[in-house]
């Protein structure tokens, strides 16, 4: 644990007013259901708790990592040498009578969609069926059906690497396909205002149902342990973005498994934890898939799922 001062848990309790949990199994906080123990774990339920826990970890030189719902993550079999901070800071409100909604980062996408339906606000229908929090979605510019959350973000508040709460506009995030600046700058996203438009509740609901139906046809059902699409859809030299599954299908990915990890039969871009898979099983299977696609097509697949090595230090 590097240069950790021995009094970190006590100092944390004194400052945050809540105790850290110790030796917490990360598989219980990941939809992949994989991962060993984190040295420390804290679930923040308010912005001050979140900010204080980050600043304290920095002060004590404890590596830390923020998680939302754990739907896009692969934890290490050895867990994490440091502090995992789960962001459960939730809250949604409409801005006056405008078609604008403010959401705190730990808000579930599911709740954001339901709120939009209740208020007759349209735009987020494409998010239906994407599990996780607003924070996780903004981090990776989550999307589906050609839409992504970044398009709707108007302004936001972040905690900068220097520890300041800063207001920023959409441009700051440099949103691209499954990308925002958050990964590069290590900012923590705290909240955002999203611009939607007014619509008819019944029509919004109907579009959501339609999207959920489309997803049902090839996505694994909720009870399957996975972290969504494993690879990003690559861009070919001619500029076309092609589904990773197109290449994976052609290299017979669906027949592959390593240990307890297997490629989902209904969609070749999902690696699933079929039977007590280890993170190593998943990583080896992913390498095998990448190798086959590279060899046959000269295309380099890039992981969409984020692997957190046990010994990572906070950048
Ligand atoms: C069955 C299934 C289907 C899916 N379908 C889709 C899909 O159609 N489209 C899509 O885009 N994704 C999809 N995903 C992936 C996943 O749902 C999204 O990436 C989602 O946004 C993850 O949110 P989360 O809260 O679980 O983030 P986590 O997995 O907990 O974290 C993901 C990353 O976000 C960072 N992060 C989280 N909160 C913050 C914050 N407040 N500030 C800074 N960084 C933060 C974490 O550090 C981590 O690096 C799917 C996943 C599953 C399991």
């Amino acid at each position: 644990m590097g240069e950790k001062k021995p009094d970190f848990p006590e100092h944390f309790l004194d400052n945050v007013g809540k105790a850290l949990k110790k030796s917490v199994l990360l598989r219980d906080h990941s939809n992949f259901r994989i991962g060993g123990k984190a040295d420390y774990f804290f679930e923040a339920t308010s912005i001050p708790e979140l900010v204080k826990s980050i600043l304290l970890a920095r002060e004590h030189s404890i590596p830390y990592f923020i998680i939302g719902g754990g739907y896009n993550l692969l934890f290490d079999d050895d867990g994490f040498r440091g502090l995992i901070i789960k962001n459960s800071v939730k809250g949604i409100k409409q801005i006056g009578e405008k078609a604008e909604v403010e959401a705190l980062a730990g808000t579930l996408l599911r709740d954001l969609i339901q709120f939009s339906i209740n208020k007759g606000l349209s735009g987020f229908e494409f998010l239906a069926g994407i599990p996780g929090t607003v924070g996780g979605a903004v981090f990776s510019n989550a999307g589906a059906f050609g839409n992504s959350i970044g398009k709707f973000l108007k302004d936001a508040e972040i905690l900068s690497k220097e520890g300041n709460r800063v207001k920023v506009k959409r441009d700051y995030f440099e949103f691209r396909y499954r990308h925002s600046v958050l990964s590069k700058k290590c900012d923590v996203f705290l909240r955002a205002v999203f611009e939607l438009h007014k619509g008819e509740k019944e029509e919004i609901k109907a579009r959501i149902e339609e999207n959920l139906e489309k997803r049902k046809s090839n996505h694994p059902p909720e009870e399957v342990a996975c972290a969504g699409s494993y690879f990003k859809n690559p861009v070919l030299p001619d500029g076309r973005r092609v589904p990773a599954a197109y290449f994976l299908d052609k290299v017979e990915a669906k027949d592959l498994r390593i240990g307890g990890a297997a490629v989902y039969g209904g969609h070749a871009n999902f690696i699933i934890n079929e039977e007590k898979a280890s993170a190593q099983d998943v990583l080896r299977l992913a390498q095998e898939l990448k190798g086959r696609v590279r060899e046959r097509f000269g295309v380099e697949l890039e992981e969409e799922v984020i692997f957190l090595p046990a010994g990572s230090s906070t950048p």
Side-chain angles (χ1 to χ4, degrees):
M1 253 180 284
E3 293 178 12
K4 175 179 83 69
K5 294 177 193 165
D7 60 345
F8 177 59
E10 294 91 298
H11 197 193
F12 191 96
L13 179 61
D14 287 349
N15 275 266
V16 183
K18 284 184 180 171
L20 285 170
K21 286 188 181 156
K22 292 184 192 167
S23 295
V24 170
L25 260 181
L26 292 177
R27 75 177 60 121
D28 295 338
H29 297 278
S30 154
N31 199 57
F32 238 139
R33 289 176 220 138
I34 294 173
K37 289 178 179 173
D39 294 337
Y40 301 117
F41 186 94
F42 179 66
E43 183 168 1
T45 55
S46 70
I47 290 184
E49 277 180 15
L50 180 67
V51 172
K52 275 186 209 164
S53 56
I54 292 167
L55 297 183
L56 277 170
R58 285 180 185 168
E59 192 183 322
H60 285 257
S61 305
I62 302 279
Y64 65 89
F65 188 80
I66 312 286
I67 66 167
Y71 286 96
N72 205 30
L73 287 172
L74 175 63
F75 290 121
D76 200 327
D77 297 317
D78 290 334
F80 185 62
R81 302 289 70 78
L83 168 65
I84 297 288
I85 303 171
K86 181 174 168 69
N87 182 0
S88 289
V89 186
K90 300 177 202 293
I92 323 174
K93 66 176 186 202
Q94 187 175 7
I95 309 292
E97 292 296 304
K98 292 194 220 171
E100 291 183 359
V101 171
E102 184 187 87
L104 300 178
T107 304
L108 298 177
L109 292 174
R110 197 181 50 220
D111 294 343
L112 184 61
I113 294 165
Q114 190 56 53
F115 184 88
S116 310
I117 299 175
N118 295 346
K119 298 288 177 187
L121 297 175
S122 171
F124 278 156
E125 291 89 319
F126 73 94
L127 284 175
I130 303 182
T133 63
V134 173
V138 169
F139 178 90
S140 64
N141 193 18
F145 309 118
N147 238 327
S148 55
I149 194 163
K151 286 188 194 164
F152 297 84
L153 189 147
K154 184 183 172 198
D155 40 51
E157 188 182 11
I158 54 149
L159 183 73
S160 72
K161 201 178 173 191
E162 295 72 39
N164 303 316
R165 286 176 68 167
V166 184
K167 295 237 158 65
V168 293
K169 301 268 179 214
R170 179 192 295 143
D171 286 354
Y172 177 82
F173 290 91
E174 297 172 15
F175 288 119
R176 294 197 300 275
Y177 169 78
R178 300 295 177 273
H179 168 89
S180 80
V181 81
L182 293 179
S183 53
K184 212 166 62 189
K185 289 207 175 165
C186 307
D187 299 330
V188 179
F189 166 78
L190 299 177
R191 70 169 105 211
V193 172
F194 297 97
E195 277 180 313
L196 301 170
H197 49 270
K198 295 198 174 159
E200 290 300 325
K201 277 187 200 179
E202 291 311 316
E203 287 174 16
I204 298 170
K205 274 197 220 163
R207 279 193 292 273
I208 286 175
E209 284 309 317
E210 206 179 298
N211 288 343
L212 290 174
E213 270 313 305
K214 280 188 212 155
R215 294 175 73 88
K216 248 191 223 165
S217 61
N218 60 5
H219 280 55
E222 252 179 48
E223 61 277 11
V224 171
C226 70
S229 299
Y230 200 89
F231 299 105
K232 297 181 183 180
N233 294 331
V235 181
L236 300 187
D238 64 8
R240 275 181 308 140
R241 193 173 286 286
V242 179
Y246 167 84
F247 301 104
L248 292 165
D249 275 333
K250 293 213 175 322
V251 298
E252 278 81 47
K254 282 182 190 159
D255 296 333
L256 283 177
R257 61 174 303 135
I258 290 184
V263 175
Y264 179 60
H267 194 309
N269 196 17
F270 281 79
I271 293 182
I272 62 173
N273 172 4
E274 206 169 52
E275 213 201 333
K276 296 192 180 130
S278 63
Q280 283 309 315
D281 293 341
V282 173
L283 293 172
R284 281 171 52 216
L285 181 53
Q287 283 313 314
E288 173 66 27
L289 295 171
K290 284 176 81 162
R292 286 188 180 199
V293 170
R294 187 186 304 121
E295 204 171 297
R296 170 107 181 255
F297 297 101
V299 169
E300 190 62 34
L301 292 179
E302 188 194 337
E303 286 79 357
E304 182 169 328
V305 170
I306 297 153
F307 173 59
L308 179 68
S312 337
S313 54
T314 308

